[in-house]
Amino acid sequence: MRIARFSIDGNVAFGAVEGDQPDELVLDIIKGIPFTDFELSGTRVPLSKVRLLPPVLPNKVVAFGRNYAEHARELGSEVPDAPFAFFKPATSVIGHGDPIQYPPFSQELHHEAELAVVIGRMCREVPRERVKDVIFGYTCANDVTARDVQRREAQWARAKGFDTSCPLGPWVETDIDITAAADLTIQLTVNGEQRQLGRTSEMIHPIEDLIVNISEAMTLLPGDVILTGTPAGVGPLNVGDEVAVTIEGIGTLTNKVVKRD
Ligand code: MG
C-alpha cells in the first residue's frame, strides 16, 4: 500500500493511494494513523485536489554516510569499516513539491538520492533477524548537502541540517519487503537530465546492518526515518533547478530549488 499524508481544505489526513496512471491517482482517506491498525474510510479524493505533505513527521532522521563505494571514492573519502551515522533535524523535512531553499551561507549545494526506511514501531537493540519487523515501509529521499560547508566544518549540522535539506516522499510504500528493498534501481535527474543511477544492492552496509547499528545506541520511534546513503553521481543544484529522485517500486519525489526569502 502507498500511504500519503496530505492536506485538503486546511485539514491534514493520511490516505492510501490508489490507481496506476499519474493523473488518475485517488486517495482513500485513512481513519486513524497508519502505524497502528487502521481502516480505509472509503471516502476518496483525487490526488490532484490535495497538497501532499511529508509522508511522515519523524522525531529524527538518521542518515548514513559513504555507504556506496563509488560515491565515497568520488568525494575522495575512505570507505568506513562500520556504518557511520549523522542526524538531519525534523525541521529539515519537506514533502514532494515543496521548495528546497538554497541556504545563503553556501555556494555549493549538492543533491544525494537515497532510499529512506520508515520505522513502524518503537524499538531498541534490534537483532538482525528482527529488523524486518520494525520497518513500516520505504520512501524516496534527497539528502541535500551544502558541500562547501561540509568540507570546512567538522560537524555536519549546518551542511546537512538546514531547513528544507531533507525532501521525503511522495508517499511510503509498505508492500516492499526487506529482500526486495535490497535490490531497487535508484536514480536522480536535474531538469530531466540523469545525474545519479545506482542500485540499492551496491550498499556497503545493508539495511539490516544500519538499523542494528543505530538501534544499539538509541530508541527508534514510529515515523523515524533512516537514510541509507547515496550512489555515485552527486553534483550541484542551482536556483531554478527541478530535482527528481525515482526509486523502482516506490515513485518519484520532485522538488524545485528556490532562493531563500
Ligand atoms: Mg547522504
Side-chain angles (χ1 to χ4, degrees):
M1 188 180 285
R2 294 171 290 181
I3 297 180
R5 195 169 143 268
F6 65 97
S7 70
I8 185 168
D9 301 334
N11 298 306
V12 174
F14 288 94
V17 181
E18 298 173 348
D20 295 316
Q21 299 305 320
D23 48 355
E24 290 170 8
L25 296 176
V26 293
L27 283 158
D28 191 336
I29 296 174
I30 285 172
K31 287 200 251 177
I33 59 160
F35 300 110
T36 54
D37 290 334
F38 65 85
E39 285 176 44
L40 296 175
S41 68
T43 304
R44 291 182 171 82
V45 289
L47 198 73
S48 56
K49 293 277 189 287
V50 309
R51 179 177 164 224
L52 284 179
L53 300 172
V56 286
L57 285 181
N59 173 273
K60 56 189 165 294
V61 177
V62 177
F64 284 88
R66 300 172 199 158
N67 200 25
Y68 288 73
E70 279 295 314
H71 168 63
R73 271 195 284 277
E74 74 181 349
L75 292 185
S77 307
E78 297 285 314
V79 173
D81 294 335
F84 151 71
F86 58 91
F87 288 119
K88 291 173 84 83
T91 43
S92 68
V93 173
I94 57 172
H96 174 77
D98 289 338
I100 297 166
Q101 296 177 12
Y102 205 116
F105 54 84
S106 171
Q107 279 76 50
E108 193 185 4
L109 207 61
H110 273 196
H111 53 76
E112 295 190 2
E114 310 207 5
L115 174 70
V117 181
V118 179
I119 299 297
R121 58 160 82 166
M122 188 162 103
C123 58
R124 194 178 67 181
E125 295 173 9
V126 183
R128 208 170 193 287
E129 65 278 10
R130 294 289 308 279
V131 166
K132 60 180 186 328
D133 303 330
V134 306
I135 295 175
F136 176 65
Y138 299 88
T139 190
C140 307
N142 195 345
D143 175 18
V144 182
T145 301
R147 195 70 74 200
D148 48 350
V149 179
Q150 185 188 26
R151 274 196 293 269
R152 62 177 185 252
E153 298 183 2
Q155 297 281 327
W156 299 350
R158 286 173 13 115
K160 284 177 171 281
F162 61 88
D163 288 0
T164 75
S165 66
C166 191
L168 293 175
W171 42 65
V172 179
E173 175 56 79
T174 62
D175 288 339
I176 294 176
D177 68 21
I178 197 164
T179 313
D183 195 16
L184 301 173
T185 304
I186 175 164
Q187 81 153 334
L188 180 143
T189 62
V190 177
N191 303 324
E193 189 178 304
Q194 187 172 284
R195 297 284 178 84
Q196 293 187 267
L197 177 65
R199 292 193 75 77
T200 55
S201 55
E202 297 161 24
M203 285 183 201
I204 298 164
H205 303 290
I207 294 164
E208 287 91 338
D209 291 4
L210 304 181
I211 291 180
V212 167
N213 176 275
I214 195 63
S215 75
E216 222 167 53
M218 68 190 68
T219 300
L220 300 177
L221 300 174
D224 278 354
V225 169
I226 313 292
L227 304 191
T228 55
T230 194
V234 301
L237 287 174
N238 295 303
V239 170
D241 284 347
E242 188 177 81
V243 58
V245 177
T246 301
I247 303 179
E248 179 186 1
I250 299 175
T252 298
L253 165 68
T254 306
N255 301 90
K256 200 162 177 175
V257 183
V258 303
K259 196 165 173 291
R260 189 188 280 183
D261 295 330

Coordinates of all heavy atoms in Angstrom, one line a residue, residues 71-157:
H71 N 30.5 6.3 -4.5 CA 30.3 7.7 -4.0 C 31.4 8.1 -3.1 O 31.9 9.3 -3.1 CB 28.9 7.8 -3.3 CG 28.7 9.1 -2.6 ND1 28.7 10.3 -3.2 CD2 28.6 9.3 -1.3 CE1 28.6 11.2 -2.3 NE2 28.5 10.7 -1.1
A72 N 31.8 7.2 -2.2 CA 32.9 7.6 -1.2 C 34.2 8.0 -2.1 O 34.8 9.0 -1.8 CB 33.2 6.4 -0.3
R73 N 34.4 7.2 -3.1 CA 35.6 7.5 -4.0 C 35.5 8.9 -4.7 O 36.4 9.6 -4.7 CB 35.8 6.4 -5.0 CG 36.6 5.2 -4.5 CD 37.1 4.4 -5.7 NE 36.0 3.5 -6.2 CZ 35.7 2.3 -5.6 NH1 36.4 1.9 -4.6 NH2 34.8 1.6 -6.1
E74 N 34.3 9.2 -5.2 CA 34.1 10.4 -5.9 C 34.4 11.6 -5.0 O 34.7 12.7 -5.5 CB 32.8 10.5 -6.7 CG 31.6 10.8 -5.8 CD 30.3 10.9 -6.5 OE1 30.3 10.9 -7.8 OE2 29.2 10.9 -5.9
L75 N 34.1 11.5 -3.7 CA 34.4 12.6 -2.7 C 35.8 12.5 -2.2 O 36.2 13.3 -1.3 CB 33.4 12.6 -1.6 CG 31.9 12.9 -1.9 CD1 31.1 13.0 -0.7 CD2 31.8 14.2 -2.7
G76 N 36.6 11.5 -2.6 CA 37.9 11.3 -2.1 C 37.9 10.8 -0.6 O 38.9 11.1 0.1
S77 N 36.8 10.1 -0.2 CA 36.7 9.7 1.2 C 37.0 8.2 1.3 O 36.9 7.4 0.4 CB 35.3 9.9 1.7 OG 34.8 11.2 1.5
E78 N 37.5 7.8 2.5 CA 37.7 6.4 2.8 C 36.3 5.7 2.9 O 35.4 6.3 3.4 CB 38.4 6.3 4.2 CG 39.8 6.9 4.3 CD 40.8 6.0 3.6 OE1 40.8 4.8 3.8 OE2 41.6 6.6 2.8
V79 N 36.3 4.5 2.6 CA 35.1 3.7 2.8 C 35.1 3.2 4.3 O 36.1 2.6 4.7 CB 35.0 2.5 1.9 CG1 33.8 1.6 2.2 CG2 34.9 2.9 0.4
P80 N 34.1 3.6 5.1 CA 34.2 3.2 6.5 C 34.0 1.7 6.7 O 33.3 1.1 6.0 CB 33.1 4.0 7.2 CG 32.1 4.3 6.1 CD 32.9 4.3 4.8
D81 N 34.7 1.2 7.7 CA 34.6 -0.3 8.1 C 33.2 -0.5 8.7 O 32.6 -1.6 8.4 CB 35.6 -0.7 9.1 CG 37.0 -0.6 8.5 OD1 37.1 -0.7 7.3 OD2 38.0 -0.4 9.3
A82 N 32.7 0.4 9.5 CA 31.4 0.2 10.1 C 30.5 1.3 9.6 O 30.9 2.4 9.1 CB 31.6 0.4 11.6
P83 N 29.2 1.1 9.7 CA 28.2 2.2 9.3 C 28.5 3.4 10.1 O 29.0 3.4 11.3 CB 26.9 1.6 9.7 CG 27.1 0.1 9.8 CD 28.5 -0.1 10.2
F84 N 28.2 4.6 9.5 CA 28.7 5.9 10.0 C 27.5 6.8 9.9 O 27.0 7.1 8.8 CB 29.9 6.3 9.2 CG 30.1 7.7 9.1 CD1 30.5 8.5 10.2 CD2 29.9 8.4 7.9 CE1 30.7 9.8 10.0 CE2 30.1 9.7 7.7 CZ 30.5 10.5 8.8
A85 N 26.9 7.2 11.0 CA 25.6 8.0 11.0 C 25.8 9.4 11.5 O 26.7 9.8 12.2 CB 24.6 7.3 12.0
F86 N 24.8 10.2 10.9 CA 24.7 11.6 11.4 C 23.2 11.9 11.4 O 22.4 11.1 11.0 CB 25.5 12.6 10.5 CG 25.1 12.6 9.1 CD1 24.1 13.4 8.6 CD2 25.7 11.7 8.2 CE1 23.7 13.4 7.2 CE2 25.3 11.6 6.8 CZ 24.3 12.5 6.4
F87 N 22.8 13.1 12.0 CA 21.4 13.4 12.0 C 21.0 14.5 11.1 O 21.8 15.4 10.8 CB 21.1 14.0 13.4 CG 21.0 13.0 14.5 CD1 21.9 13.1 15.6 CD2 20.1 11.9 14.5 CE1 21.9 12.2 16.6 CE2 20.1 11.0 15.5 CZ 21.0 11.1 16.6
K88 N 19.8 14.5 10.6 CA 19.2 15.6 10.0 C 18.0 16.0 10.9 O 17.2 15.1 11.2 CB 18.7 15.3 8.5 CG 19.9 15.1 7.6 CD 19.5 14.7 6.2 CE 19.1 15.8 5.3 NZ 20.2 16.5 4.6
P89 N 17.8 17.2 11.3 CA 16.7 17.5 12.2 C 15.3 17.5 11.6 O 15.2 17.5 10.3 CB 17.0 19.0 12.7 CG 17.8 19.5 11.5 CD 18.6 18.4 10.9
A90 N 14.3 17.3 12.4 CA 12.9 17.3 12.0 C 12.6 18.5 11.1 O 11.8 18.4 10.2 CB 12.0 17.1 13.1
T91 N 13.2 19.6 11.4 CA 12.9 20.9 10.7 C 13.5 20.9 9.3 O 13.2 21.8 8.5 CB 13.4 22.1 11.5 OG1 14.7 21.7 12.0 CG2 12.5 22.4 12.6
S92 N 14.3 19.9 9.0 CA 14.8 19.8 7.6 C 13.9 19.1 6.6 O 14.1 19.2 5.4 CB 16.2 19.1 7.6 OG 16.0 17.7 7.9
V93 N 12.8 18.5 7.2 CA 12.0 17.6 6.3 C 11.0 18.5 5.6 O 10.3 19.3 6.1 CB 11.3 16.6 7.2 CG1 10.2 15.8 6.4 CG2 12.3 15.6 7.8
I94 N 10.9 18.2 4.2 CA 9.8 18.8 3.4 C 9.2 17.6 2.6 O 9.8 16.5 2.5 CB 10.3 19.9 2.5 CG1 11.5 19.4 1.6 CG2 10.7 21.1 3.3 CD1 11.9 20.4 0.5
G95 N 8.1 17.9 1.9 CA 7.5 16.9 1.1 C 7.6 17.1 -0.4 O 8.3 18.0 -0.8
H96 N 7.0 16.2 -1.2 CA 7.0 16.2 -2.6 C 6.4 17.6 -3.1 O 5.3 18.0 -2.6 CB 6.1 15.1 -3.1 CG 5.9 15.1 -4.6 ND1 6.9 14.7 -5.5 CD2 4.8 15.5 -5.3 CE1 6.4 14.8 -6.7 NE2 5.1 15.3 -6.7
G97 N 7.1 18.3 -3.9 CA 6.6 19.5 -4.5 C 6.9 20.8 -3.6 O 6.7 21.9 -4.1
D98 N 7.5 20.5 -2.4 CA 7.9 21.7 -1.6 C 9.2 22.2 -2.1 O 10.1 21.4 -2.6 CB 8.0 21.3 -0.1 CG 6.7 21.0 0.5 OD1 5.7 21.5 0.0 OD2 6.7 20.3 1.5
P99 N 9.5 23.5 -2.0 CA 10.7 24.1 -2.5 C 11.9 23.8 -1.6 O 11.8 23.8 -0.3 CB 10.5 25.6 -2.5 CG 9.4 25.8 -1.6 CD 8.5 24.6 -1.5
I100 N 13.1 23.5 -2.2 CA 14.3 23.4 -1.5 C 14.9 24.8 -1.5 O 15.1 25.4 -2.5 CB 15.3 22.5 -2.2 CG1 14.8 21.0 -2.2 CG2 16.7 22.6 -1.5 CD1 15.6 20.1 -3.2
Q101 N 15.1 25.4 -0.3 CA 15.5 26.8 -0.2 C 17.1 26.8 -0.1 O 17.6 26.3 0.9 CB 14.9 27.5 1.0 CG 13.4 27.6 0.9 CD 12.8 28.2 2.2 OE1 13.5 28.8 3.0 NE2 11.5 28.1 2.3
Y102 N 17.7 27.4 -1.1 CA 19.2 27.5 -1.2 C 19.6 28.3 0.0 O 19.3 29.5 0.1 CB 19.6 28.1 -2.5 CG 21.0 27.8 -3.0 CD1 21.1 27.0 -4.1 CD2 22.1 28.1 -2.2 CE1 22.4 26.7 -4.6 CE2 23.4 27.7 -2.7 CZ 23.5 27.0 -3.8 OH 24.8 26.7 -4.3
P103 N 20.5 27.7 0.9 CA 20.9 28.5 2.1 C 21.9 29.6 1.8 O 22.8 29.4 0.9 CB 21.5 27.4 3.0 CG 21.9 26.3 2.1 CD 21.0 26.4 0.9
P104 N 21.7 30.8 2.4 CA 22.6 31.9 2.0 C 24.1 31.7 2.4 O 24.9 32.4 1.9 CB 22.0 33.1 2.8 CG 21.1 32.5 3.8 CD 20.7 31.1 3.3
F105 N 24.4 30.7 3.3 CA 25.8 30.6 3.7 C 26.5 29.5 2.9 O 27.6 29.2 3.2 CB 25.8 30.2 5.2 CG 24.9 29.0 5.5 CD1 25.5 27.7 5.3 CD2 23.6 29.1 6.0 CE1 24.7 26.6 5.6 CE2 22.9 28.0 6.2 CZ 23.4 26.7 6.1
S106 N 25.9 29.1 1.8 CA 26.6 28.1 0.9 C 26.6 28.6 -0.5 O 25.7 29.3 -1.0 CB 25.8 26.8 1.0 OG 26.3 25.9 0.0
Q107 N 27.7 28.2 -1.3 CA 27.7 28.4 -2.7 C 27.8 27.1 -3.5 O 28.1 27.1 -4.7 CB 28.9 29.3 -3.1 CG 28.8 30.8 -2.9 CD 28.9 31.1 -1.4 OE1 29.8 30.7 -0.7 NE2 27.9 31.9 -0.9
E108 N 27.6 26.0 -2.8 CA 27.8 24.7 -3.5 C 26.8 23.7 -2.9 O 27.1 22.8 -2.1 CB 29.2 24.2 -3.3 CG 29.5 23.0 -4.2 CD 30.9 22.4 -4.0 OE1 31.6 22.9 -3.1 OE2 31.3 21.5 -4.7
L109 N 25.5 23.8 -3.3 CA 24.5 22.8 -2.9 C 24.6 21.6 -3.8 O 24.6 21.7 -5.0 CB 23.1 23.5 -3.0 CG 22.1 23.0 -2.1 CD1 22.5 23.3 -0.6 CD2 20.8 23.8 -2.4
H110 N 24.5 20.4 -3.1 CA 24.5 19.1 -3.9 C 23.3 18.3 -3.6 O 22.7 18.4 -2.5 CB 25.8 18.3 -3.5 CG 27.0 18.6 -4.2 ND1 28.1 17.7 -4.2 CD2 27.3 19.6 -5.0 CE1 29.1 18.3 -5.0 NE2 28.6 19.4 -5.5
H111 N 22.9 17.5 -4.6 CA 21.8 16.5 -4.4 C 22.4 15.2 -4.0 O 23.6 14.8 -4.4 CB 21.0 16.4 -5.7 CG 21.9 16.1 -6.9 ND1 22.4 14.8 -7.1 CD2 22.3 16.8 -7.9 CE1 23.1 14.8 -8.2 NE2 23.1 16.1 -8.7
E112 N 21.7 14.4 -3.3 CA 22.1 13.0 -2.9 C 20.8 12.1 -2.9 O 20.0 12.2 -1.9 CB 22.8 12.9 -1.6 CG 24.1 13.6 -1.5 CD 24.9 13.3 -0.2 OE1 24.4 12.5 0.6 OE2 26.0 13.8 -0.1
A113 N 20.5 11.3 -3.9 CA 19.3 10.5 -4.0 C 19.5 9.3 -3.0 O 20.6 8.7 -3.0 CB 19.2 9.9 -5.4
E114 N 18.5 9.0 -2.2 CA 18.7 7.9 -1.2 C 17.4 7.2 -0.9 O 16.3 7.8 -1.0 CB 19.2 8.5 0.2 CG 20.4 9.4 0.0 CD 21.3 9.5 1.2 OE1 21.1 8.8 2.2 OE2 22.3 10.3 1.1
L115 N 17.5 5.9 -0.7 CA 16.4 5.1 -0.2 C 16.2 5.4 1.3 O 17.1 5.3 2.0 CB 16.6 3.6 -0.4 CG 15.6 2.7 0.2 CD1 14.3 2.7 -0.6 CD2 16.1 1.2 0.2
A116 N 14.9 5.8 1.6 CA 14.6 6.1 3.0 C 13.8 5.0 3.6 O 12.8 4.5 3.0 CB 13.9 7.4 3.2
V117 N 14.2 4.5 4.8 CA 13.5 3.5 5.5 C 12.6 4.1 6.6 O 13.2 5.0 7.4 CB 14.4 2.5 6.2 CG1 13.7 1.4 7.0 CG2 15.4 1.9 5.2
V118 N 11.3 3.8 6.7 CA 10.5 4.4 7.7 C 10.2 3.4 8.8 O 9.8 2.3 8.5 CB 9.1 4.9 7.1 CG1 8.2 5.5 8.2 CG2 9.4 5.9 6.0
I119 N 10.5 3.7 10.0 CA 10.3 2.8 11.2 C 8.9 2.8 11.6 O 8.2 3.8 11.6 CB 11.2 3.3 12.3 CG1 12.7 3.3 11.9 CG2 10.9 2.5 13.6 CD1 13.3 2.0 11.6
G120 N 8.4 1.6 11.9 CA 6.9 1.4 12.2 C 6.6 1.2 13.7 O 5.5 1.3 14.1
R121 N 7.6 0.9 14.5 CA 7.3 0.7 15.9 C 8.5 1.1 16.8 O 9.7 1.1 16.3 CB 7.0 -0.8 16.1 CG 8.0 -1.8 15.7 CD 7.8 -3.1 16.4 NE 6.8 -3.9 15.7 CZ 6.6 -5.2 15.9 NH1 7.3 -5.8 16.9 NH2 5.7 -5.9 15.3
M122 N 8.2 1.4 18.0 CA 9.3 1.7 18.9 C 10.2 0.5 19.2 O 9.7 -0.6 19.4 CB 8.6 2.2 20.3 CG 9.6 2.7 21.2 SD 8.8 3.7 22.5 CE 8.9 2.5 23.8
C123 N 11.5 0.8 19.1 CA 12.4 -0.4 19.2 C 13.8 0.1 19.6 O 14.2 1.3 19.4 CB 12.5 -1.1 17.8 SG 13.1 -0.1 16.5
R124 N 14.5 -0.8 20.3 CA 15.9 -0.6 20.6 C 16.7 -1.9 20.6 O 16.0 -2.9 20.8 CB 16.0 0.1 22.0 CG 17.4 0.7 22.2 CD 17.6 1.4 23.6 NE 17.4 0.4 24.6 CZ 17.5 0.7 25.9 NH1 17.6 2.0 26.3 NH2 17.4 -0.2 26.9
E125 N 18.0 -1.9 20.3 CA 18.8 -3.1 20.2 C 18.1 -4.2 19.4 O 17.9 -5.3 19.9 CB 19.1 -3.6 21.7 CG 19.9 -2.6 22.4 CD 20.1 -2.9 23.9 OE1 19.8 -4.0 24.3 OE2 20.7 -2.1 24.6
V126 N 17.8 -3.8 18.2 CA 17.0 -4.7 17.3 C 18.0 -5.8 16.8 O 19.0 -5.4 16.2 CB 16.4 -3.9 16.1 CG1 15.6 -4.8 15.2 CG2 15.6 -2.8 16.6
P127 N 17.7 -7.1 17.0 CA 18.6 -8.1 16.4 C 18.4 -8.1 14.9 O 17.3 -7.8 14.4 CB 18.1 -9.4 17.0 CG 17.0 -9.0 18.0 CD 16.6 -7.6 17.7
R128 N 19.4 -8.5 14.2 CA 19.4 -8.5 12.7 C 18.2 -9.2 12.1 O 17.6 -8.7 11.2 CB 20.7 -9.3 12.2 CG 21.2 -8.8 10.9 CD 22.5 -9.4 10.6 NE 23.1 -8.7 9.4 CZ 22.7 -8.8 8.2 NH1 21.7 -9.7 7.9 NH2 23.2 -8.1 7.2
E129 N 17.8 -10.3 12.7 CA 16.7 -11.1 12.2 C 15.3 -10.4 12.4 O 14.3 -10.8 11.9 CB 16.7 -12.6 12.6 CG 16.5 -12.8 14.1 CD 17.8 -12.6 14.9 OE1 18.8 -12.1 14.4 OE2 17.8 -12.9 16.1
R130 N 15.3 -9.4 13.4 CA 14.0 -8.8 13.7 C 13.9 -7.4 13.0 O 12.9 -6.7 13.1 CB 13.9 -8.5 15.2 CG 13.8 -9.8 16.0 CD 12.5 -10.5 15.9 NE 11.3 -9.5 16.1 CZ 10.9 -9.2 17.3 NH1 11.5 -9.6 18.4 NH2 9.9 -8.3 17.4
V131 N 14.9 -7.0 12.2 CA 14.9 -5.7 11.6 C 13.7 -5.6 10.7 O 13.0 -4.5 10.7 CB 16.2 -5.4 10.8 CG1 16.0 -4.3 9.8 CG2 17.4 -5.2 11.7
K132 N 13.3 -6.6 9.9 CA 12.2 -6.5 9.0 C 10.9 -6.2 9.8 O 10.0 -5.6 9.2 CB 12.0 -7.8 8.2 CG 11.8 -9.1 9.0 CD 11.7 -10.3 8.1 CE 11.3 -11.6 8.8 NZ 11.7 -11.8 10.2
D133 N 10.8 -6.6 11.0 CA 9.6 -6.4 11.8 C 9.4 -4.9 12.3 O 8.3 -4.6 12.7 CB 9.6 -7.3 13.0 CG 9.7 -8.8 12.7 OD1 9.2 -9.1 11.6 OD2 10.3 -9.5 13.5
V134 N 10.5 -4.2 12.3 CA 10.3 -2.8 12.8 C 10.2 -1.8 11.6 O 10.1 -0.6 11.9 CB 11.5 -2.4 13.7 CG1 11.7 -3.4 14.8 CG2 12.8 -2.2 12.9
I135 N 10.2 -2.3 10.4 CA 10.1 -1.4 9.2 C 8.7 -1.2 8.8 O 8.0 -2.2 8.6 CB 11.0 -1.9 8.1 CG1 12.5 -1.9 8.5 CG2 10.8 -1.1 6.8 CD1 13.4 -2.5 7.4
F136 N 8.2 0.0 8.7 CA 6.9 0.3 8.2 C 6.8 0.3 6.7 O 5.9 -0.2 6.1 CB 6.4 1.6 8.8 CG 5.1 2.1 8.3 CD1 4.0 1.4 8.6 CD2 5.0 3.3 7.5 CE1 2.7 1.9 8.2 CE2 3.8 3.7 7.1 CZ 2.6 3.0 7.4
G137 N 7.8 0.9 6.1 CA 7.9 1.0 4.6 C 9.1 1.8 4.1 O 10.0 2.1 4.9
Y138 N 9.0 2.2 2.8 CA 10.1 2.9 2.2 C 9.6 4.1 1.4 O 8.5 4.0 0.8 CB 10.8 1.9 1.2 CG 11.4 0.7 2.0 CD1 10.5 -0.5 2.2 CD2 12.6 0.6 2.5 CE1 11.0 -1.6 2.8 CE2 13.1 -0.5 3.2 CZ 12.3 -1.6 3.4 OH 12.8 -2.7 4.0
T139 N 10.5 5.1 1.4 CA 10.1 6.2 0.5 C 11.4 6.8 -0.1 O 12.5 6.2 0.1 CB 9.4 7.3 1.3 OG1 8.9 8.3 0.5 CG2 10.2 8.0 2.4
C140 N 11.3 7.8 -1.0 CA 12.5 8.4 -1.6 C 12.9 9.6 -0.8 O 12.1 10.3 -0.2 CB 12.1 9.0 -3.0 SG 11.3 7.8 -4.1
A141 N 14.2 9.8 -0.8 CA 14.8 10.9 0.0 C 15.9 11.6 -0.9 O 16.5 11.0 -1.8 CB 15.4 10.5 1.3
N142 N 16.1 12.9 -0.6 CA 17.2 13.7 -1.1 C 17.9 14.3 0.0 O 17.4 15.1 0.8 CB 16.6 14.7 -2.1 CG 17.7 15.3 -3.0 OD1 18.9 15.2 -2.7 ND2 17.2 16.0 -4.0
D143 N 19.2 13.8 0.3 CA 20.0 14.3 1.4 C 20.7 15.5 0.9 O 21.9 15.4 0.6 CB 20.9 13.1 1.8 CG 21.9 13.6 2.9 OD1 21.7 14.6 3.5 OD2 23.0 12.9 3.1
V144 N 20.0 16.6 0.8 CA 20.6 17.8 0.2 C 21.7 18.3 1.1 O 21.5 18.4 2.3 CB 19.5 18.9 -0.1 CG1 20.1 20.1 -0.7 CG2 18.4 18.3 -0.9
T145 N 22.8 18.7 0.5 CA 24.1 18.9 1.3 C 24.7 20.2 0.8 O 24.9 20.4 -0.4 CB 25.1 17.8 1.1 OG1 24.4 16.6 1.5 CG2 26.3 18.0 1.8
A146 N 25.1 21.1 1.7 CA 25.9 22.2 1.4 C 27.4 21.7 1.4 O 28.0 21.7 2.5 CB 25.7 23.4 2.4
R147 N 27.9 21.3 0.2 CA 29.2 20.6 0.2 C 30.3 21.5 0.6 O 31.2 21.0 1.3 CB 29.4 20.1 -1.3 CG 30.5 19.1 -1.4 CD 30.1 17.7 -0.8 NE 29.1 17.0 -1.6 CZ 28.3 16.0 -1.2 NH1 28.4 15.6 0.1 NH2 27.4 15.4 -2.0
D148 N 30.3 22.8 0.3 CA 31.4 23.6 0.8 C 31.4 23.7 2.3 O 32.5 23.7 2.9 CB 31.3 25.0 0.1 CG 29.9 25.6 0.1 OD1 28.9 25.0 0.5 OD2 29.8 26.8 -0.2
V149 N 30.3 23.8 2.9 CA 30.2 23.9 4.4 C 30.6 22.6 5.0 O 31.3 22.5 6.0 CB 28.7 24.3 4.8 CG1 28.6 24.4 6.3 CG2 28.3 25.6 4.1
Q150 N 30.2 21.5 4.3 CA 30.6 20.1 4.8 C 32.1 20.0 4.9 O 32.7 19.4 5.8 CB 30.0 19.0 4.0 CG 30.2 17.6 4.5 CD 29.8 16.6 3.5 OE1 29.8 16.8 2.3 NE2 29.5 15.4 4.0
R151 N 32.8 20.6 3.9 CA 34.2 20.5 3.8 C 34.9 21.3 4.9 O 35.9 20.9 5.4 CB 34.8 20.9 2.4 CG 34.8 19.8 1.4 CD 35.6 20.2 0.2 NE 35.0 21.3 -0.6 CZ 34.2 21.2 -1.6 NH1 33.8 20.0 -2.0 NH2 33.7 22.2 -2.2
R152 N 34.3 22.4 5.3 CA 35.1 23.3 6.2 C 34.6 23.2 7.7 O 35.2 23.7 8.5 CB 35.1 24.8 5.7 CG 33.7 25.4 5.6 CD 33.9 26.9 5.2 NE 32.6 27.5 5.3 CZ 31.9 27.9 4.2 NH1 32.3 27.7 3.0 NH2 30.7 28.4 4.4
E153 N 33.5 22.4 7.9 CA 33.0 22.3 9.3 C 33.1 20.8 9.7 O 32.5 20.0 9.0 CB 31.6 22.9 9.4 CG 31.6 24.4 9.1 CD 30.3 25.1 9.3 OE1 29.3 24.4 9.7 OE2 30.2 26.3 9.0
A154 N 33.7 20.5 10.8 CA 33.9 19.1 11.2 C 32.5 18.4 11.5 O 32.4 17.2 11.1 CB 34.8 19.0 12.5
Q155 N 31.6 19.1 12.1 CA 30.3 18.5 12.3 C 29.4 19.0 11.2 O 29.5 20.1 10.7 CB 29.7 19.0 13.6 CG 30.5 18.5 14.9 CD 30.2 17.1 15.2 OE1 29.1 16.6 15.1 NE2 31.2 16.4 15.7
W156 N 28.5 18.1 10.7 CA 27.7 18.4 9.5 C 26.3 19.0 9.8 O 25.4 19.0 9.0 CB 27.5 17.2 8.7 CG 28.8 16.6 8.3 CD1 30.1 17.2 8.3 CD2 29.0 15.3 7.7 NE1 31.0 16.4 7.8 CE2 30.4 15.2 7.4 CE3 28.2 14.3 7.3 CZ2 31.0 14.1 6.8 CZ3 28.7 13.1 6.7 CH2 30.1 13.0 6.5
A157 N 26.1 19.5 11.1 CA 24.8 20.0 11.5 C 24.3 21.1 10.5 O 23.1 21.1 10.1 CB 24.9 20.6 12.9

